Amino acid sequence: MTPTPAVGKDTMHQNPQPFTLTTTTTVTVAYAGGDERRGPLTMGQANMVRCILRDDPTHINIHDVWPVPEGTSSAAVTDALRALAVRHEGLRTTFPHPQGTAPVDQVVAAEGTFTVTVLDHTELPADPPGYAESVARAARAGRFALQREFPMRITLLTVAGQPAYVALAFSHAVADGSAMAILREEFAELLAGKELPELTSLPPVDLAAVEASPAGLRKSEASLRYWERILRTGPQEMFAEPRGRRPGTDEEARQLTLRSRRGGRALAGAARRTGHPEATVLMAAWCALVAHRAGQDSCVTAVPSANRFHARVARSVTTTSQDALLHLDVRVPAFDALVSRTWGAVLNAYRHSQFDSVRLWEMIDRVTAERGSHFGRDVVFNDVSALPAPILGTEAQDGDDAEQELTWGPPQALPTRMLAFTYRTTPQLHISLWAAPSVFTPEEAEGFLTGLVLLLEAAAAGDVPMEALAEVTGVRPAERGPDWLRVDGCWVSPDAVRETLGRAVDGLPARIQVTEPSGAEPHLTAYIACGETPFTPAEAHRALTALIPAAGSGVLAPHRYVLVENPPAEPDRSDAWRRLNTIDEGTGRSRQV
């Protein structure tokens, strides 16, 4: 270990609490004893590398805090970290690639070094866990250099030389929430002097080989077909309402945390009464309430932690971060029937959560262009309560004895409309929620979480009619004006479509006509007066589709485009447009939906 003093460096500017930092020291730790290997990326690694190269590092990097037992020496901490690096190939992995390209291979080093930044204090602030969390969060800033950087940024917080916490930021290319939990558990066992068991899950290079096998490729193809069915038929945005924003526009949302022993008892009671696992009951309640609040017939939610159900990846220290996409039809008479339906739907989503992420996004781009929509990852539900050790947030704060409490935390950028983490289900239900302010006022966000507990309590007592959700939970469905209608399974505002189409065709006069074929959903027809402007239906469709990601909520491309020369004398009358001579018409879509 080679300490390099760097006294006075202020790395804690994000933490407003007073504290006394005396020295900052960098310790270099050498490791050796692993095997040198090389191979292609896993599908999860490729997915996250794509995000790392594209997204804001503070959004894509992840962090955790590991408490250090009192009396532990700094040497014991660095020895445990060294042992983890040797034990797990993922921590010794880099991704070499020429500038301007994406990596296609991973390289596992047999030996190397990493650094530990030691921040020594005379005393820690009044909230030591919160302070440690702020140090770890601050370390997420800055993109990881995939081709050379050790994938953990490690800060050891000490008090008069005595270790108290290890604050870490991870490259999401080598770790996800499950991997962090595994490492946290093993770190604690190493400090306790325990011998770690033999590894049973595959390291990343071997996992990539399984994924590239004929069986693995067939599984990936099946996953793409599953996703495509949902993208072609499901709602393009869950929260389609006048005040909503499109999924492509990030917002800042504050963390809202529920800790509820009431919720824990209710969930256990509902699971006993229905005879289904708690995780299934909680997922059914979540989807029921999301769909109810959104005014939708189904709930589409991403389930990122779903793809570790197989033994070969259950305890693998790598990233398996690929969404399972759950599409749950909530049109059932009562909650028990929904719970039964949820079991099969969740398993189906889990089975289709392994795919080539590049091909997935190519398919998403193709399908949404053909449909004239924009796929929005509107809702994310991440249940990490079953992980082998609690990840960040479950032990960092008090409140385990709370019968029920809601607390607000710091804001963060939210690239979705609704994100939830379930950290614990017993003895209390512990959920953190980030809800987009454009869709949820603070009171509505609080009402959603308390409504979830009320639904679980009602489900523990008996079957709950789905039509009684507003009465049982106090959560009210989204309000839409009379012009909103359901088209292609999506809530659509014809006025918003007309306004967006007008911008897409550079202000040419346009009209949206709604027709309702017998026994079918309404169809939208766009009339465009193009005058002397050379234009085709396909060009109109492409121009409109390009604007949809940043357009207001409720915009879906029309089924047909009809081009006329000049607008009618009374442009607000649909029948006047229909009587005009047609220059050209067509769908603009390369495939009918």
Side-chain angles (χ1 to χ4, degrees), residues 417-449:
R417 302 282 74 85
M418 195 176 206
L419 167 66
F421 273 81
T422 300
Y423 295 113
R424 189 182 301 174
T425 58
T426 184
Q428 64 175 198
L429 183 61
H430 179 178
I431 298 177
S432 285
L433 173 72
W434 292 260
S438 66
V439 180
F440 290 84
T441 65
E443 295 75 20
E444 287 172 329
E446 292 180 352
F448 186 89
L449 285 182

Side-chain angles (χ1 to χ4, degrees), residues 490-530:
C490 306
W491 281 106
V492 175
S493 167
D495 286 345
V497 176
R498 178 191 52 77
E499 188 276 332
T500 308
L501 177 62
R503 289 191 288 115
V505 297
D506 296 327
L508 293 174
R511 170 80 181 181
I512 299 296
Q513 178 187 339
V514 179
T515 57
E516 301 190 25
S518 177
E521 281 191 337
H523 278 215
L524 302 181
T525 300
Y527 289 87
I528 305 170
C530 56

Side-chain angles (χ1 to χ4, degrees), residues 456-506:
L456 291 171
E457 288 180 329
D463 202 0
V464 181
M466 295 296 284
E467 62 183 15
L469 285 181
E471 178 184 353
V472 169
T473 67
V475 175
R476 300 284 179 249
E479 295 183 2
R480 300 180 180 93
D483 63 313
W484 284 68
L485 64 156
R486 210 184 287 270
V487 178
D488 279 355
C490 306
W491 281 106
V492 175
S493 167
D495 286 345
V497 176
R498 178 191 52 77
E499 188 276 332
T500 308
L501 177 62
R503 289 191 288 115
V505 297
D506 296 327

